[in-house]
Amino acid sequence: KNQVEQSPQSLIILEGKNCTLQCNYTVSPFSNLRWYKQDTGRGPVSLTIMTFSENTKSNGRYTATLDADTKQSSLHITASQLSDSASYICVVGEFFSGTYKYIFGTGTRLKVLA
Amino acid sequence: DAGITQSPRYKITETGRQVTLMCHQTWSHSYMFWYRQDLGHGLRLIYYSAAADITDKGEVPDGYVVSRSKTENFPLTLESATRSQTSVYFCASEGLAASHEQFFGPGTRLTVL
C-alpha cells in the first residue's frame, strides 16, 4: 500500500487559472515533506520543502501547505502558465541518524491549455 | 559543466548482461542516491551513499551494486540485467544543508530485451 497518495492523478486547466493538488500520507514519523516538478523526460526539480513544524511554504506562484495532524499537504498553483504542464510529485521523508527514507507519491500530471 | 550528470542517457541491453550507469556531480555533495521510476510507481530508492566508501541499501536494492570511491561519482551496476530492470534511472545528490534539498540528474532510460 502506497504510503503517499496524490490526487487527482491528472488534471487539465486553462492558462491563467488556479489549481490545487492534494497529497495524503501515512508515513510516520516524518521529518519533511517536499513537492517536486518533473517535466517530461527530465529529472524532478524541487519546488518546496517543509519540515513537520511548518504550515506553508511559497516559491513564486507555487504555495505548499501542510497539516501534520491530518497528514495532508496541498500544492496551490496560481495563475497557471503553459510551462506549468508537468508532473507534480509529493515526497515524504525521514532522516534519522544518517539514515534516509523517502516515500514518493506517483504524481499528478497537470496539463495547462492555452 | 556544473551540476549533476548521468551517462548514458539511453541504453538498450540484453538479459544477463552487465550494465553500469554513471553519475557525476560537481558540488561535492556528501549524499548521493539512485532511484528508479516506473509507470504506476513513485520513484523508488535503490541505493544511497552518505560519503565516499559509505553506501546503504534503499527500498529495492536486489540485482544492483554500487560503489563510491570518489565523492563526485556514484556508479550503479546491474550485474546480470533482467527485463524487470527496464526503467528510468535517476541519480540525485544532496548536501549537508538543513534544507536537505536533493538535485536530480536528467535520468537514464534503460531497456533490457
Side-chain angles (χ1 to χ4, degrees), chain A residues 1 5 10 19 21 29 32 35 45 52 54-55 57 59 64 77 84 89 100 103 105 110-111:
Chain A
K1 184 179 186 293
E5 299 283 350
S10 61
C19 67
L21 314 180
N32 58 72
W35 283 93
V45 174
F52 64 89
E54 294 178 289
N55 299 119
K57 184 72 70 79
N59 179 0
I77 304 175
D84 291 331
I89 303 171
Y100 273 90
I103 308 298
L110 175 65
K111 179 73 174 176

Side-chain angles (χ1 to χ4, degrees), chain B residues 43-64:
Chain B
L43 276 82
R44 291 179 290 176
L45 182 64
I46 304 170
Y47 269 96
Y48 69 97
S49 168
D53 297 322
I54 300 175
T55 62
D56 209 346
K57 295 179 180 180
E59 181 185 356
V60 289
D62 293 342
Y64 303 96

Side-chain angles (χ1 to χ4, degrees), chain A residues 2 32 34 36 38 41-46 49 51 89 95 98-106 109, chain B residues 9 31 33 35 37 40-45 48 50 56 59 90 94-95 99-102 104-106:
Chain A
N2 199 342
N32 58 72
R34 307 153 181 242
Y36 285 95
Q38 185 177 21
R42 298 193 170 216
V45 174
S46 179
I49 302 173
T51 66
I89 303 171
F95 176 66
T99 299
Y100 273 90
K101 177 182 176 183
Y102 286 128
I103 308 298
F104 286 72
T106 55
R109 187 179 297 272
Chain B
R9 295 293 314 278
Y31 285 88
F33 307 81
Y35 296 92
Q37 187 174 38
H41 291 274
L43 276 82
R44 291 179 290 176
L45 182 64
Y48 69 97
D56 209 346
E59 181 185 356
F90 288 99
E94 179 178 321
S99 65
H100 294 295
E101 183 171 359
Q102 284 195 1
F104 283 81

